[in-house]
Amino acid sequence: GDLVVRSVNQEHGILAIREGSDCALPELGVGTLVRILPNHACAMADHFECYHVLDESGRVSANWPRFSGW
């Protein structure tokens, strides 16, 4: 609950403890997987060749190819 993402860029994320918390940073060794919800679409969009568009029921209703060459 008190571990937050302090800042990000295209390649890195900086984790910190929420201000005022007495918790300690966890030991995260090289290769440790940490789930972070993206806050910038470019970093995520580049990893996929297409987008699956979902309808209101959550079913795929369209498949959009990704624009490339940027």
Side-chain angles (χ1 to χ4, degrees), residues 50-53 60-65:
C50 66
Y51 307 113
H52 300 290
V53 181
V60 175
S61 61
N63 188 1
W64 294 348

Side-chain angles (χ1 to χ4, degrees), residues 2-61:
D2 285 338
L3 184 63
V4 296
V5 177
R6 185 177 74 196
S7 64
V8 296
N9 62 34
Q10 293 288 77
E11 297 85 19
H12 300 92
I14 307 299
L15 300 177
I17 295 297
R18 189 179 310 277
E19 189 172 329
S21 173
D22 60 354
C23 293
L25 280 172
E27 286 290 326
L28 299 173
V30 173
T32 301
L33 296 179
V34 178
R35 179 176 226 158
I36 298 173
L37 298 176
N39 70 336
H40 194 275
C42 292
M44 291 302 299
D46 187 46
H47 296 281
F48 302 95
E49 296 196 12
C50 66
Y51 307 113
H52 300 290
V53 181
L54 306 180
D55 63 18
E56 294 84 17
S57 66
R59 290 185 296 238
V60 175
S61 61

